[in-house]
Amino acid sequence: MTTLARTSTRQRQWRGAILAYLLVAPPLLLMVLLIFIPATQSIARTLTISVDGQPGFSFSRYAAFFSDPISVNNLLFTFQVTLLTLAVIFIVCFPLSLYLRFSTGRIASAVQILALFPLFVPGIILCYALIRFLGTRGTLDTLLSLVGITGYRTPYLKPEAIVIGLVWESIPFTVLVLTAGLRQVSDTLIESARDVGAGDWTIFRRIILPLIVRPALIVFSLNFLGIFGSYTIPYLLGPAAPQMMGVFMQQTFGQYRRPDDAETQAVITFLICAFVGFLYVRTVASQRLTREEE
Amino acid sequence: MATLDLINLTKQFGTVTAVDAVNLSVQDGEFMCILGPSGCGKSTLLRMIAGFEMPTEGDIRIAGDSVTHLGANKRPTAMVFQKYTLWPHMKVFDNIAFGLQLRRLPRAEIARKVEEALALVSLSGYEERYPSQLSGGQQQRVALARAIVLEPKILLLDEPFSSLDAILRVRLREELRRIQRRLKITAIFVTHDQEEALTLADRIAVMNAGRVEQLDAPTQIYDNPATLFVADFIGAMNLLQAQVSGGRIVLSGVTLDAPPGLQDGAATVAIRPEDMALLPDAAHAGAWRAVVEQISDLGHYRRALLDVGDGTLKIYLPKSAAVREGAQVAAFPRRYLIYANGGAPREVTRALPAEALTV
Ligand SMILES: Nc1ncnc2c1ncn2[C@@H]1O[C@H](COP(=O)(O)OP(=O)(O)OP(=O)(O)O)[C@@H](O)[C@H]1O
Ligand SMILES: [Mg+2]
């Protein structure tokens, strides 16, 4: 009887383990085949040169990238646009999320829907809409001249246009995550603080802010990844030079037909994103840990 | 450490009147329980005192001064909520110290006060823990410490122990009562648990549909419920429809004497299970003929359900009472209250026949 019971428990554990492996196998396999192997190969290739027909290890491709002013300029430009966009996203989304969390009623739900609206607009349509709206003799220009303001200078084909497009695209996701994070801060926590004498500002600084650091870090890193590697918006709205890395890579690869250089650019971009991705995973993992402590 | 006066206090949410013209005076150092069914407005009343809800009408006075227009952070009240009340990112020490820090007390004094408060709730040495490392009961004790460390004039508690298990609940409420007596703090304790209210309170305010139905000491509330609602809500009660005519109260299965001056008309007779005696002979004047349907032993007493033909009566018997299920008996009410026309109840007590099975 006992042996029977023991075998069946072991069998069940086996079955559970096999099922778990079966479930994770397809995504794992895809990741290995489509990302891990090609990435490793690419990294390896960018570190190899052929010396007298023999492959040898060298940083020369990276040296070339970092000694080329255009390449370095594009990388710096990508950082600038990314950080500026992130800053604007937070300036826009933080108050919006606070408003959505702490107000009730019809206006709040209307704003909620509006904030999610960009989610349903494909990037390319958004770009053309922005061109029509922001371009010279576009909607905004026309409206301004109607009220007598002339001399409108369009941000179209300037870095500002990229920022505007990327901010617009990132609002829904950011607001969703931030409001979800803020909803974790219960009314009771806030009322308890008010009860012991805290005013609005103290409550914000000492209670709300520390409690949403994690969701904020999560949106920060995920937005960083999306913006740093973005292509459509900088390609359609941005200047011809400098370029963001996505556009730069595509051009190096497609127009200049220099796949080796494009690969180096890709690896550099990948490593930067991988680092931010690592920060993201660490934030999420530490959150998981504290949950388990509870 | 002050009196609290609620004057004509009213709160409406849209068309819902959550609190309806409540007048209530709590004495200095008194422990008052607010008791009532779910949705009767207990929390709303408490939240208005704390300053989380603005009254639609009326005035709140603490130690004689109106606080109605002060924000929650300016009132000399402190509240203990039902749950999720500690700030999860702060250690126990900081949770308790937060209010003191806002008052800019010197560090040494803050440390001393936090230590005292923790000792008071028997949690000395827990300063460095995070709330997630405490049990539910410990968390509520810290919440209590956080409230009393500020030496509030009024301590407000909204079902603070209701998410804890029964044994812990009893222990914590006794601890709370001890602390409240020691500090002589005025406390208002909201509960929907009548046993909690009856054991803790100096006085109980029984609420129903936004109004205070009765404000009295626990024994008064139990022995002389002022309204039919209170009679039904507090403790076990047999409520029976009756017709009063010519000095008699006619119920289904029995006719009882009416107190002098009772008007003719419909009435309700209320009899506590322990105010009912069993007589061994089935026929007796002013008593029901009944069959013992079921007997349950409930520790120090027995509960019997009697079939009186037209319904069931619940009665409590001493453990020694010799009755069997299926026995033919007479059920004799020794004391009953008559509620008629929404007025104050009339009480009737009767001498117990010698052969009664009840003490
Ligand atoms: N913020 C609010 N908006 C609208 N209605 C409310 C609000 N708060 C309470 N109410 C209503 O007021 C009435 C009283 O609610 P309250 O929370 O005071 O009841 P309670 O006696 O504390 O009940 P419980 O024992 O369930 O906690 C209920 O009908 C409730 O629906
Ligand atoms: Mg309540």
Side-chain angles (χ1 to χ4, degrees):
Chain A
M1 186 61 204
T2 19
T3 24
L4 201 73
R6 210 177 292 148
T7 3
S8 80
T9 325
R10 198 177 299 158
Q11 264 176 358
R12 218 175 302 135
Q13 279 173 349
W14 260 104
R15 240 177 259 151
I18 290 171
L19 186 69
Y21 284 123
L22 278 179
L23 283 174
V24 294
L28 201 67
L29 213 64
L30 273 180
M31 255 186 38
V32 169
L33 285 178
L34 292 181
I35 300 176
F36 194 70
I37 292 176
T40 331
Q41 282 176 341
S42 280
I43 294 174
R45 260 199 310 275
T46 56
L47 291 169
T48 340
I49 50 157
S50 86
V51 189
D52 307 328
Q54 292 292 314
F57 176 83
S58 160
F59 279 118
S60 61
R61 285 216 219 162
Y62 292 96
F65 180 93
F66 283 107
S67 60
D68 171 33
I70 293 181
S71 302
V72 173
N73 210 15
N74 283 346
L75 185 61
L76 288 180
F77 179 68
T78 309
F79 266 113
Q80 279 170 356
V81 170
T82 306
L83 295 182
L84 183 64
T85 308
L86 285 176
V88 177
I89 288 173
F90 272 80
I91 291 168
V92 172
C93 294
F94 208 86
L96 192 59
S97 309
L98 281 173
Y99 169 75
L100 290 176
R101 159 65 180 84
F102 291 107
S103 47
T104 47
R106 246 181 239 146
I107 301 176
S109 25
V111 172
Q112 174 105 54
I113 292 166
L114 271 182
L116 293 187
F117 182 68
L119 210 54
F120 308 109
V121 182
I124 192 149
I125 293 177
L126 157 71
C127 286
Y128 285 111
L130 277 178
I131 293 170
R132 293 288 301 267
F133 182 74
L134 295 170
T136 316
R137 278 188 283 285
T139 315
L140 191 58
D141 196 359
T142 318
L143 284 177
L144 285 176
S145 53
L146 271 182
V147 295
I149 301 171
T150 52
Y152 170 75
R153 291 175 50 201
T154 176
Y156 176 46
L157 298 182
K158 296 202 189 82
E160 293 89 306
I162 310 183
V163 174
I164 293 172
L166 288 172
V167 166
W168 165 272
E169 201 182 42
S170 313
I171 286 176
F173 170 70
T174 312
V175 167
L176 270 182
V177 176
L178 284 182
T179 32
L182 283 168
R183 281 191 210 290
Q184 299 275 310
V185 185
S186 68
D187 287 343
T188 313
L189 293 184
I190 290 162
E191 284 177 348
S192 308
R194 179 151 294 139
D195 198 46
V196 300
D200 289 339
W201 172 242
T202 312
I203 290 174
F204 177 72
R205 206 169 46 85
R206 298 281 309 269
I207 309 291
I208 295 175
L209 219 47
L211 286 174
I212 63 155
V213 163
R214 274 199 190 127
L217 275 179
I218 288 173
V219 269
F220 177 84
S221 42
L222 290 182
N223 273 335
F224 183 97
L225 298 180
I227 294 167
F228 201 85
S230 62
Y231 175 74
T232 315
I233 289 175
Y235 177 68
L236 287 174
L237 296 179
Q243 290 171 329
M244 283 184 75
M245 289 307 281
V247 182
F248 186 36
M249 268 183 264
Q250 162 64 20
Q251 208 177 37
T252 313
F253 184 82
Q255 262 168 279
Y256 304 146
R257 309 224 171 252
R258 288 187 347 237
D260 283 3
D261 290 344
E263 195 167 46
T264 312
Q265 294 161 8
V267 168
I268 290 170
T269 310
F270 170 77
L271 289 178
I272 291 167
C273 288
F275 176 70
V276 175
F278 164 75
L279 291 184
Y280 164 75
V281 170
R282 220 182 50 171
T283 313
V284 173
S286 73
Q287 186 161 15
R288 185 88 32 83
L289 277 182
T290 31
R291 282 273 163 71
E292 267 157 28
E293 277 165 26
E294 286 164 21
Chain B
M1 283 166 276
T3 57
L4 171 75
D5 296 287
L6 307 181
I7 296 139
N8 200 26
L9 203 62
T10 300
K11 177 70 190 182
Q12 288 167 336
F13 295 107
T15 54
V16 179
T17 305
V19 173
D20 192 2
V22 164
N23 288 289
L24 192 65
S25 288
V26 186
Q27 279 146 35
D28 190 4
E30 189 177 21
F31 196 107
M32 162 122 19
C33 275
I34 309 228
L35 177 65
S38 183
C40 70
K42 307 181 295 292
S43 294
T44 307
L45 186 71
L46 208 66
R47 290 171 57 78
M48 283 196 283
I49 302 170
F52 299 130
E53 305 280 2
M54 225 12 216
T56 315
E57 224 178 281
D59 200 17
I60 302 162
R61 289 186 196 148
I62 294 175
D65 300 323
S66 172
V67 297
T68 313
H69 296 286
L70 291 181
N73 50 343
K74 300 270 159 56
R75 291 194 191 183
T77 58
M79 179 123 156
V80 181
F81 294 85
Q82 190 174 352
K83 54 180 172 179
Y84 308 124
T85 114
L86 299 180
W87 302 300
H89 59 296
M90 292 186 195
K91 290 178 176 167
V92 166
F93 180 92
D94 296 308
N95 261 283
I96 301 172
F98 187 59
L100 299 169
Q101 287 162 357
L102 293 176
R103 283 162 182 71
R104 306 194 181 289
L105 295 187
R107 269 167 176 267
E109 198 181 340
I110 291 179
R112 183 180 56 75
K113 286 192 177 224
V114 171
E115 194 180 321
E116 277 175 17
L118 274 176
L120 204 56
V121 297
S122 326
L123 280 181
S124 297
Y126 281 72
E127 288 87 345
E128 292 303 306
R129 300 245 195 143
Y130 279 98
S132 59
Q133 298 166 319
L134 299 177
S135 71
Q138 290 168 335
Q139 290 186 22
Q140 285 309 77
R141 282 194 224 165
V142 174
L144 182 60
R146 181 175 70 183
I148 55 185
V149 80
L150 299 171
E151 297 166 21
K153 289 190 171 142
I154 314 276
L155 179 64
L156 305 169
L157 306 105
D158 193 355
E159 310 199 24
F161 308 135
S162 65
S163 59
L164 307 175
D165 69 64
I167 294 171
L168 198 55
R169 195 155 66 218
V170 171
R171 211 168 70 205
L172 278 184
R173 76 188 184 209
E174 276 159 10
E175 213 170 304
L176 166 72
R177 194 60 165 112
R178 176 180 58 79
I179 291 168
Q180 184 267 342
R181 283 214 174 95
R182 169 112 64 94
L183 301 176
K184 299 189 177 62
I185 192 170
T186 311
I188 303 183
F189 186 101
V190 160
T191 178
H192 61 239
D193 178 345
Q194 46 171 298
E195 190 200 318
E196 201 159 63
L198 290 168
T199 50
L200 280 180
D202 291 323
R203 283 191 299 163
I204 299 175
V206 182
M207 279 186 75
N208 179 35
R211 298 184 145 270
V212 173
E213 293 256 339
Q214 187 171 5
L215 173 64
D216 251 321
T219 40
Q220 273 301 313
I221 298 257
Y222 187 83
D223 291 340
N224 295 304
T227 66
L228 208 48
F229 170 82
V230 179
D232 193 17
F233 185 69
I234 305 283
M237 187 71 97
N238 294 296
L239 287 177
L240 306 156
Q241 296 307 318
Q243 203 64 40
V244 181
S245 75
R248 320 240 76 201
I249 309 171
V250 184
L251 296 97
S252 161
V254 76
T255 300
L256 302 171
D257 292 328
L262 192 68
Q263 275 188 6
D264 286 2
T268 304
V269 175
I271 314 168
R272 291 266 181 226
E274 63 271 28
D275 287 337
M276 198 86 92
L278 283 192
L279 312 174
D281 50 342
H284 196 283
W288 279 273
R289 285 166 154 275
V291 179
V292 179
E293 208 170 65
Q294 192 197 11
I295 294 184
S296 331
D297 266 314
L298 299 170
H300 57 287
Y301 66 101
R302 311 176 91 184
R303 187 190 69 187
L305 297 181
L306 306 181
D307 180 358
V308 289
D310 206 17
T312 308
L313 290 178
K314 185 193 281 184
I315 84 166
Y316 294 156
L317 297 166
K319 247 178 125 163
S320 53
V323 250
R324 281 171 300 101
E325 285 178 7
Q328 297 264 345
V329 291
F332 178 89
R334 286 188 294 160
R335 176 178 183 270
Y336 49 91
L337 296 164
I338 304 127
Y339 295 86
N341 308 317
R346 301 289 303 273
E347 179 189 352
V348 178
T349 38
R350 302 201 294 173
L352 187 63
E355 65 270 39
L357 291 172
T358 310
V359 181

